[in-house]
Structure formats: C-alpha cells, structure tokens
Amino acid sequence: MSLPKKAMLCPFVRFLSSSIGCDAALLVMTLLAAALRFYHLGTWSFWIDEAFSLSLKEDGFNFSLWRQSLALTLIHATTGLLGASEWSARLAPALIGVLSIPVLYLPLRRLFGATVALLSVSLLALSPWHLYWSQNARFYSLLLLFYTLALLTAYWGFEADRPGYLLLSLLFLGLAARERLLALFFVPVLASYLLLVQFSPFTRPPGWRLHNFAVFLLPGAVLALFFCGPYLQDFSGWLAGFRRINNNPFWIIAGTVYYIGLPLVCVAATGALYLLGQGNRAALFFSLGALIPLLAIAALAPFHYTANRYIFVSLTSWLVLASLAIQGLWQAVSRRAVLPVAGVVLLLMAQPLSEDLLYFRYQNGNRDNWRAAFAYIAEHKSKADVVVSADQSIGEYYLQSETMDWSDFDPAARPRTSGRIWFVEDMNAAAVHPQLFAWIQQHAQQMADFDVQVRARNFKMRVYLYDPAKPTVMR
C-alpha cells in the first residue's frame, strides 16, 4: 500500500500500512460483520418475500436450471437439512454477507491499494442496508457480491489490458443475473462508461483495444439476450405483473439515500466531482455504477412497480466512491489537518453504527412484526374462528393452520350468523384491497397494534376481530 509520507508520523497509520496491519484490520472488520449479521438472526419474523423464498412456487424468474438462483438453492438446502425457521432460512445469506468482506477486499486492494479497500469493506461491514439483506432469506446479498465482482473485474480488465479478467467479469455477470435481472444494470453502466471515455477528454485505459471489445462485448450481448429474451417476448405480461404504482421518484431517491447513509452519499458525491475534474476514470466508472440504477428506478416509479431494493446493487459503487474521496482528501491535506480527515472517517463509521443500533433495539429489524400479530391471534382465537391474512403463507406458517387471503375473502358471501373472523392488516393491504378494508373499518374492532416505525416509514401490522354476535362497529 502506498501512503503519503506524512502518514508515517502516525504509529497507527504506520501499523495499518504494514502487511500484518492490513490483515489484522481485515480480520477485525470481518469478525464485526459476522457479529452484526448473526446477532438476532432468528429474532425477526418472516415477511412476505421471505415466506415466498421458503416455498417452492415458481416466481417467474428462476424457471430453468440455467436461471436458477444459487441463493435460493442454498436457502432450500439449509432449511431442508436444519428444518424451516427464521434462523436456518437466513443462515446462507448471512454467511454470504460476511464472506463478502474478505472476497471484495482482494480485488479492491489490487485496483486501488489497501487504504481504499479497507475503507470500502469496513463501510460495507457496517452498512445497515447490507446488514438487512444479509439477515433476509432472499438473494440480494449474493446478487450484490456477484454484481460487484463483475464490475471490478470488467474495470480491471480494461485498466490492466487483461482479456481474461473481462471473461471473468462475464462469468460473474451471468451468476448475478441468475439471482435477478437487476444485474443487467451492468450493461448501461459499462456502455455509458465506454462511450464517455471514447467521446470525452478522459484518457483511455491500456486495455482500450479492439480484441478486448470483441472478447467482452459480443459474448456479453449474447448473455444479456439469453436472460432478457423470455421477458422481451412477453413484455405486456411483465408490465401486467408489475402494474401497481406504489412509489414516486422522490420516495425512491430519498429512501435510497437513507439506506446508503446521507453522510456517505455526500462524501461520495463531492469526492466524485473532485476526482472527475482530475480526469479520474475510476470516479467515472463508479459514479455511473452509483447513479444509473438509482435514476432508472426513479424514472420507472410513476408507471411501474418499484422498490429501493432494486437499487441495492449500486451500494458498493457508493462505498468505493466515498473511499476514493477519503484517500484523495488524505493525500491533499497538510500535516495539521490529519484529525479532520479522521473525523470524516469516524462520521462515516458512526452514522451506520447508529442505524444498526436502531435496527436491533427499536425497529424490529426494519420489517413487519407478523410473528407478534399471529401470536396474539393464537392466544385469543377459538378453534372455529376464521383468520384472514394479508399474506396467507405467513399466516399458515405461524399459526400452523389454514388461513384465508384478503383477496379470497368476500364479506357479502358470508352469512351474518357465521362465526368470528380475525383480520391481519399489513402496510399494503388497505391500498391493494380498499373495499375490504372499508368493510373491516365499519364492522370489525381493532384488537392489537404491532406497528414498527422506521423513520418516515410505518410497517403497519394491525389485528381486527369481526364478531357477528356484537353490534356493528362504526368509525
């Protein structure tokens, strides 16, 4: 690792600049990542997407061996071996989240040196967004790992004129696309980078050769068509499946900034502007990696179903940009300004740690509290009672008995002399089923409230009881 001479004045920095110091720091951050990702791993209740992961239902994406998600395969293998529980279902994603720290450190160190590599993986280890998806029985932690490796090896291939790394990038891209087509954000990111380098004042990397483009772009186009083909052939069906408008561009952008961390976004953005002014190709590449997924999903929000998790693949680009900014600041300041640089680093570390504390202590892992709602019903229901849940699969998992889905319940079809009916409402039920929600508000009594407040977002979880033997409840 190459550090400015003034850094040698600091014994701690001198230790970190040694091979032993780098290895020790990496070990500490990996252990911290493990502690965070395994702490309360089985405490949080399943939410809708996790319940779907546990099922063997076709999700429209992984419908063949070549497209099958490795993460979901590992989840099913673990629950099959250890039994289905919140802990066992999240074991594989948590391990992937921990292993991402040393795995990503190696190519980052090769590209940018140990300073940027350690800062980047340290920020990843503390990231509340990465922590959340590492504690989810979903594919996102593995998607981010493969996607980031695809970005790093592609950039490395052009910078070092190594066609082998370009082919390795295609392999990682294929593995990432098997997790979800969100990996294909790689295509506009790389295409934009190549065009800007070609038609702007940026100097071209050593690998700017025709044979590298042929080795990389032609197989890449075939790979993209392989994964996109079935959906392009049934584009109207795709739009129908995602027709519900649930967000707006402001919510998408503001939510993403919150999940990444406002201080980190500010440092990354200002650092990127400074480095771009110096013609830094890495700043250009990772700026595109940070912005293109965000702007694309925000642009889709007015007419397509969107979610902040679709932008999760951009997280590592933001972390690398922030780390490059810190390195640039460190190299530029005078000896007397070492402490302010340390203060910026501490701010970037303290902010995610504070969010992690809220995540564990007050925000129920940033998800719905289905477990508490069904525990309440199990305690108070009689055998003849009917339970209607906003998600049938979660209800049947926690109650170990048959439930109904909101979409299958018709109040008009039930005789007024029928027995009691329990309703469980989540944050989307009222918007998706407005008529049934209005009927519940008029005829049922709210029995319990298990809402989880996460900043400006409320993970609503309400339990209602309709009892035909009691007078109608009017609100």
Side-chain angles (χ1 to χ4, degrees), residues 41-54 75 79 83-90 135-138 364 367-372 374 391 393-395 397-398 461:
L41 182 62
T43 299
W44 328 119
S45 61
F46 286 128
W47 63 291
I48 292 174
D49 284 12
E50 286 187 295
F52 192 86
S53 292
L54 288 180
I75 290 169
T79 54
S85 70
E86 291 86 349
W87 191 89
S88 64
R90 296 168 184 154
Q135 290 198 328
N136 255 280
R138 298 294 284 161
N364 193 58
R367 67 199 81 194
D368 314 85
N369 199 353
W370 292 95
R371 177 192 282 175
F374 287 110
D391 186 85
S393 58
I394 295 182
Y397 174 83
Y398 282 114
M461 187 59 51

Side-chain angles (χ1 to χ4, degrees), residues 130-344:
H130 193 257
L131 167 63
Y132 173 79
W133 287 116
S134 297
Q135 290 198 328
N136 255 280
R138 298 294 284 161
F139 51 82
Y140 286 98
S141 61
L142 189 57
L143 169 63
L144 181 70
L145 177 59
F146 285 146
Y147 179 84
T148 304
L149 289 172
L151 285 179
L152 294 175
T153 48
Y155 181 76
W156 192 351
F158 284 110
E159 287 295 316
D161 193 13
R162 301 287 293 273
Y165 288 118
L166 296 175
L167 292 175
L168 187 59
S169 175
L170 292 178
L171 173 62
F172 286 128
L173 177 59
L175 291 171
R178 289 182 67 193
E179 300 305 315
R180 267 304 182 272
L181 292 184
L182 297 168
L184 295 183
F185 275 128
F186 177 95
V187 175
V189 168
L190 186 67
S192 300
Y193 173 73
L194 297 178
L195 289 172
L196 287 171
V197 170
Q198 176 68 29
F199 298 107
S200 71
F202 285 90
T203 58
R204 297 173 184 177
W208 205 261
R209 301 175 187 273
L210 182 60
H211 71 273
N212 284 339
F213 290 114
V215 163
F216 186 71
L217 296 180
L218 293 178
V222 173
L223 184 68
L225 287 174
F226 170 76
F227 283 104
C228 287
Y231 308 104
L232 293 175
Q233 292 174 358
D234 186 25
F235 192 64
S236 60
W238 173 282
L239 293 179
F242 292 88
R243 64 182 178 273
R244 182 168 71 90
I245 308 305
N246 63 321
N247 280 314
N248 59 64
F250 173 79
W251 179 263
I252 290 294
I253 294 173
T256 301
V257 170
Y258 165 72
Y259 289 126
I260 295 171
L262 181 59
L264 193 145
V265 169
C266 291
V267 170
T270 54
L273 290 174
Y274 171 75
L275 294 171
L276 287 171
Q278 296 185 327
N280 188 296
R281 288 190 300 269
L284 174 64
F285 185 78
F286 289 100
S287 293
L288 294 169
L291 289 175
I292 285 178
L294 173 62
L295 297 179
I297 296 300
L300 282 174
F303 54 88
H304 192 279
Y305 182 92
T306 53
N308 295 114
R309 59 182 177 270
Y310 300 161
I311 311 167
F312 182 61
V313 292
S314 71
L315 174 62
T316 43
S317 293
W318 288 101
L319 302 183
V320 171
L321 283 174
S323 301
L324 289 171
I326 293 297
Q327 183 187 55
L329 179 62
W330 175 250
Q331 292 172 343
V333 299
S334 67
R335 295 181 181 180
R336 290 172 293 181
V338 171
L339 282 179
V341 177
V344 175

Side-chain angles (χ1 to χ4, degrees), residues 15-91:
F15 172 71
L16 286 180
S17 68
S18 67
S19 177
I20 295 177
C22 289
D23 292 343
L26 177 62
L27 177 61
V28 168
M29 296 315 301
T30 303
L31 292 175
L32 179 58
L36 289 171
R37 280 146 187 80
F38 281 94
Y39 184 61
H40 281 303
L41 182 62
T43 299
W44 328 119
S45 61
F46 286 128
W47 63 291
I48 292 174
D49 284 12
E50 286 187 295
F52 192 86
S53 292
L54 288 180
S55 72
L56 298 176
K57 297 177 182 177
E58 175 55 55
D59 63 1
F61 292 94
N62 307 304
F63 50 81
S64 71
L65 177 63
W66 292 103
R67 300 169 186 272
Q68 190 171 10
S69 164
L70 176 59
L72 294 181
T73 300
L74 293 173
I75 290 169
H76 291 152
T78 307
T79 54
L81 180 65
L82 302 177
S85 70
E86 291 86 349
W87 191 89
S88 64
R90 296 168 184 154
L91 177 59

Side-chain angles (χ1 to χ4, degrees), residues 89-103:
R90 296 168 184 154
L91 177 59
L95 287 171
I96 293 166
V98 175
L99 291 174
S100 297
I101 307 305
V103 169

